[in-house]
Amino acid sequence: MTALVIAEHDGKSLKGGTANAVAAAAKMGSDVHVLVAGSDAQGAAQAAAKLAGVSKVLHAAAAHYDGGSPENYAALVVALAKGYSHIVAGATAFGKGVAPRIAALLDVAQVSEITSVESPDRFVRPIYAGNAFATVQSADPVKVVTVRATGFDPAPATGSAPVESLAAGPDKGQSKVLSRELTSSARPELAGARRVVSGGRGLGSAENFRMLEALADKLGAAIGASRAAVDSGYVPNDCQVGQTGKIVAPELYIAVGISGAIQHLAGMKDSKVIVAINKDSEAPIFQVADYGLVGDLFQLVPELTAKI
């Protein structure tokens, strides 16, 4: 059995989640191939070739893949599908756009956001906002699977697979990228950060979030937020952690003024060490926290920042 992993990249390097998807795919099949598509993606192809477990990298060099068009990617993958037992992508915005189209065109049932591989056709995935886990078995000839990055350690860069050119598929012309605005920050990207400092509605205003920025800067951490804080306009939407935001599992997660609604816990409870700061000792966040500080965050956060 051979698994095909669809790489997400920026041309020069692989994006977070691809190495985790490779690690998951290695547990599904004896061989793992990685598909890298794009007109100037040699750097990403070479990065994929170095991932442990990868036996071949397929590089389709064509400009109509540069915007990450899910229609074009799906057409390319479906043409290759008969040679693979598994089609794998990360459970990111990119993967969630491509994988369902592939599954629909192949007329198979997609298995979404797996966190464990029990056998080539049995997978574990979270349900009910992560409060339960379902073991599912796929009888389809080709398994289309998306992988939650927090469930698998990324494949190390210890391999040396060959890179082969692949003929590009058709340009479906159904959509194209007109413009793209990227948010630049000196802080790490939230989804892949080793440390995250998150704030909730308890902070009270966007101005008070600056306290967290000072703490995050000392820790080299990314800034996160609960949905309540995002909906209140304290921080941009791309800071949201939770079931409807980003799923993170950093080495350290500090939750400040976050009560711990089930939707938020679904996005961060796999963190290695969780620290909670909240004035309510009965807040649900303390049920998953390794360390808890009960008290006024406006006093505790500056003191913590000063001591660090």
Side-chain angles (χ1 to χ4, degrees):
M1 291 185 291
T2 305
L4 177 66
V5 177
I6 305 170
E8 183 176 359
H9 61 89
D10 60 6
K12 298 179 181 179
S13 60
L14 300 175
K15 290 192 175 181
T18 298
N20 307 76
V22 166
K27 298 182 178 182
M28 302 176 195
S30 55
D31 285 326
V32 177
H33 295 176
V34 177
L35 171 65
V36 177
S39 61
D40 189 21
Q42 292 85 356
Q46 292 299 327
K50 294 178 181 178
L51 294 178
V54 175
S55 57
K56 183 191 297 185
V57 175
L58 303 175
H59 180 203
H64 55 269
Y65 299 117
D66 291 348
S69 166
E71 296 87 1
N72 290 338
Y73 266 88
L76 176 62
V77 173
V78 167
L80 300 171
K82 64 180 180 181
Y84 294 97
S85 58
H86 299 76
I87 307 291
V88 184
T92 61
F94 169 77
K96 291 176 181 179
V98 173
R101 289 173 166 84
I102 296 171
L105 290 170
L106 294 176
D107 195 23
V108 299
Q110 178 180 316
V111 183
S112 302
E113 301 205 27
I114 68 164
T115 57
S116 179
V117 178
E118 292 193 347
S119 71
D121 64 350
R122 288 171 63 91
F123 312 95
V124 177
R125 60 181 301 271
I127 58 175
Y128 302 128
N131 281 289
F133 289 85
T135 299
V136 297
Q137 184 169 18
S138 172
D140 288 318
V142 180
K143 282 75 172 171
V144 178
V145 182
T146 59
V147 175
R148 183 173 285 193
T150 56
F152 300 88
D153 293 329
T158 57
S160 57
V163 178
E164 297 183 3
S165 296
L166 177 69
D171 182 357
K172 306 296 287 186
Q174 294 175 273
S175 63
K176 63 180 179 179
V177 177
L178 298 179
S179 64
R180 178 177 293 162
E181 295 181 11
L182 300 178
T183 302
S184 59
S185 173
R187 298 189 184 91
E189 180 190 8
L190 177 58
R194 295 174 58 194
R195 305 179 186 92
V196 175
V197 178
S198 279
R201 184 158 34 200
L203 282 154
S205 69
E207 290 73 21
N208 290 335
F209 252 83
R210 292 172 186 165
M211 285 193 308
L212 301 193
E213 293 175 0
L215 176 59
D217 288 343
K218 283 202 170 185
L219 291 171
I223 290 288
S226 67
R227 178 169 182 171
V230 170
D231 288 348
S232 298
Y234 301 164
V235 287
N237 181 265
D238 59 1
C239 291
Q240 183 177 326
V241 173
Q243 184 180 14
T244 55
K246 291 183 172 66
I247 308 295
V248 300
E251 295 175 4
L252 173 64
Y253 188 90
I254 301 179
V256 181
I258 295 175
S259 63
I262 185 174
Q263 291 84 358
H264 185 76
L265 298 184
M268 46 65 70
K269 66 181 182 180
D270 290 329
S271 302
K272 304 300 183 292
V273 177
I274 299 173
V275 177
I277 301 176
N278 200 296
K279 66 180 180 181
D280 180 9
S281 62
E282 302 297 323
I285 191 70
F286 289 117
Q287 297 177 11
V288 299
D290 298 287
Y291 300 93
L293 284 173
V294 179
D296 183 358
L297 66 88
F298 296 104
Q299 175 186 349
L300 293 174
V301 172
E303 287 183 4
L304 179 60
T305 303
K307 288 183 181 298
I308 292 174

